[in-house]
Amino acid sequence: GEAVGGLILLFFSCAIASAGGIGGGGLNVPILLVVFGFNYDVAVVLSQCTVLGNYIIQSTINFRKHHPIEKSRPLIYWDIVLTLLPAQIGGSNIGVILESVLP
């Protein structure tokens, strides 16, 4: 009963987040905490798994699509992805290190 309702809520929150072009972690974590009763660490990891799945599906769908105006350009601007992703990963790693060092 409650688990099925939670799964339906989680499904629709992921679908709405995907339609909006965001990962949806901000919606998934509270659902996993409140509805399913997971602790924070587990809820964050499960949310990251759903965001990764969302990313893989969206990238697969949009990989071969082209820009709506300039058909010679791809829909996904890969140059900016390759520019921003290392900074994002590096910042995440620095945050993990700081979290373990700072009070």
Side-chain angles (χ1 to χ4, degrees):
E2 189 175 313
V4 173
L7 287 174
I8 292 170
L9 185 62
L10 194 60
F11 173 80
F12 281 111
S13 73
C14 289
I16 291 169
S18 178
I22 61 172
L27 297 171
N28 296 342
V29 171
I31 292 170
L32 292 167
L33 288 171
V34 174
V35 176
F36 291 102
F38 289 116
N39 66 26
Y40 183 74
D41 294 337
V42 173
V44 169
V45 170
L46 289 175
S47 175
Q48 289 174 344
C49 289
T50 61
V51 170
L52 176 64
N54 185 5
Y55 163 76
I56 291 169
I57 296 298
Q58 289 298 317
S59 294
T60 303
I61 290 170
N62 292 321
F63 183 74
R64 296 198 185 272
K65 290 185 178 180
H66 296 283
H67 190 273
I69 297 170
E70 295 185 34
K71 300 296 182 188
S72 63
R73 290 178 31 198
L75 181 63
I76 300 172
Y77 185 42
W78 291 105
D79 291 345
I80 198 72
V81 172
L82 294 173
T83 301
L84 293 177
L85 191 59
Q88 183 178 5
I89 293 171
S92 177
N93 288 336
I94 291 171
V96 168
I97 292 169
L98 289 176
E99 186 271 334
S100 65
V101 173
L102 297 176

